[in-house]
């Protein structure tokens, strides 16, 4: 089973709202990732969690706040977003060996900021 | 700097064969991935190459030449459902994925 699930599938929010994106995997993977993808562009890495600790933060604005409650779950808390933050937000997971792992992606959350 | 190049768009005919090329210059190399992404959906893993040569997996094959910084994805017996973007990504010395911009493949009947 190589399934990563994400909720919600679609989200529309205003610039003053607070919302959260959720990601879950039950493959025993110890590395989890958040990516942002704009149309016709490759995914851009935002955050990496390794063994539930934040290991990479790619200079993402503080209006995006990741959280890893346990090894299976990854959240992305959103607050005071801008219209340019509208994108497909992808979660991925990998074994987290520290070596060449394959990343498996969830279906994504299509976010629209009004 | 890090750079991955692949053609922006390619067109092929149903039932035919198409080769999508990828060239890379990265700080270190720990393997190259190919992902398929249908519009509005998540990337799905197709292949991983770390040694030179050809890896075959059904209708899809992937080739790597480390000395040339070059890979290709070969799709045989094309089907309409193969219309998608194909992303080449290199794992650099820090085991971070460096992504190409993707190749949009259009299949015509």
């Amino acid at each position: 089973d190589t399934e990563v699930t994400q909720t919600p599938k679609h989200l529309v929010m205003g610039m003053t709202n607070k919302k959260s994106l959720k990601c879950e995997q039950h493959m025993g993977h110890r590395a989890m990732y958040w990516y942002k993808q704009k149309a016709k562009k490759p995914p851009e890495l935002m955050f990496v969690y390794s063994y539930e600790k934040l290991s990479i933060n790619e200079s993402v604005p503080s209006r995006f706040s990741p959280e890893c409650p346990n090894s299976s779950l990854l959240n992305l808390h959103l607050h005071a977003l801008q219209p340019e933050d509208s994108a497909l937000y992808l979660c991925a997971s990998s074994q987290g060996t520290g070596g060449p792992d394959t990343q498996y992606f969830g279906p994504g959350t299509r976010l629209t900021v009004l | 700097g890090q750079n991955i190049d692949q053609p922006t768009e390619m067109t092929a005919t149903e039932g035919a064969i198409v080769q999508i090329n990828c060239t890379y210059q990265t700080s270190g190399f720990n393997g190259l991935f190919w992902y398929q992404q249908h519009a509005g959906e998540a990337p799905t893993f197709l292949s991983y190459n770390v040694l030179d040569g050809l890896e075959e997996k059904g209708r899809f094959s992937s080739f790597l030449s480390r000395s040339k910084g070059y890979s290709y994805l070969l799709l045989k017996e094309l089907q309409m459902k193969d219309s998608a973007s194909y992303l080449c990504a290199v794992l650099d010395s820090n085991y971070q994925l460096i992504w190409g911009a993707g190749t949009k493949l259009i299949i015509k009947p």
Side-chain angles (χ1 to χ4, degrees):
Chain A
D1 182 13
T2 55
E3 189 178 16
V4 177
T5 59
Q6 288 186 245
T7 55
K9 290 196 70 147
H10 301 274
L11 179 62
V12 179
M13 60 187 289
M15 289 190 283
T16 57
N17 292 158
K18 281 187 183 181
K19 296 286 184 183
S20 296
L21 309 185
K22 297 187 183 302
C23 174
E24 190 167 5
Q25 57 86 16
H26 293 288
M27 296 178 277
H29 287 175
R30 302 312 298 270
M32 296 185 77
Y33 310 76
W34 278 117
Y35 285 89
K36 172 184 176 180
Q37 188 177 27
K38 294 281 220 180
K40 300 182 182 180
K41 298 285 187 184
E44 292 174 48
L45 184 65
M46 299 175 73
F47 303 103
V48 181
Y49 272 82
S50 179
Y51 288 78
E52 295 135 67
K53 287 188 168 39
L54 184 64
S55 61
I56 295 176
N57 175 342
E58 291 286 1
S59 304
V60 179
S62 59
R63 58 185 185 267
F64 295 92
S65 174
E67 179 197 17
C68 190
N70 60 54
S71 60
S72 300
L73 291 173
L74 185 66
N75 299 323
L76 186 64
H77 303 298
L78 314 172
H79 174 54
L81 294 193
Q82 304 296 310
E84 59 265 29
D85 297 322
S86 298
L88 181 67
Y89 286 84
L90 294 163
C91 173
S93 72
S94 70
Q95 286 189 316
T97 62
D101 294 339
T102 298
Q103 292 182 28
Y104 295 94
F105 286 82
T109 293
R110 174 70 60 189
L111 174 68
T112 302
V113 181
L114 301 176
Chain B
Q2 316 228 71
N3 195 48
I4 297 184
D5 285 317
Q6 37 179 146
T8 304
E9 189 173 295
M10 299 181 71
T11 302
T13 305
E14 193 177 13
I17 298 173
V18 72
Q19 177 175 311
I20 303 174
N21 295 326
C22 171
T23 58
Y24 63 89
Q25 290 176 302
T26 55
S27 55
F29 179 85
N30 281 299
L32 185 145
F33 290 86
W34 284 97
Y35 281 85
Q36 179 192 61
Q37 187 174 27
H38 287 97
E41 298 183 12
T44 54
F45 168 71
L46 290 178
S47 67
Y48 170 69
N49 294 66
V50 66
L51 299 176
D52 286 356
L54 187 68
E55 296 270 347
E56 296 187 71
K57 208 187 271 189
R59 294 189 298 115
F60 292 8
S61 303
S62 56
F63 171 84
L64 177 68
S65 168
R66 293 185 64 163
S67 62
K68 294 181 179 174
Y70 167 69
S71 173
Y72 67 72
L73 181 69
L74 191 72
L75 292 76
K76 300 177 188 174
E77 300 168 20
L78 286 170
Q79 301 175 8
M80 297 303 292
K81 66 179 182 179
D82 297 330
S83 292
S85 286
Y86 291 86
L87 295 154
C88 170
V90 170
L91 212 53
D92 71 5
S93 55
N94 295 318
Y95 294 101
Q96 284 205 54
L97 274 179
I98 310 300
W99 294 85
T103 298
K104 182 178 180 180
L105 178 63
I106 299 167
I107 310 295
K108 295 188 173 176

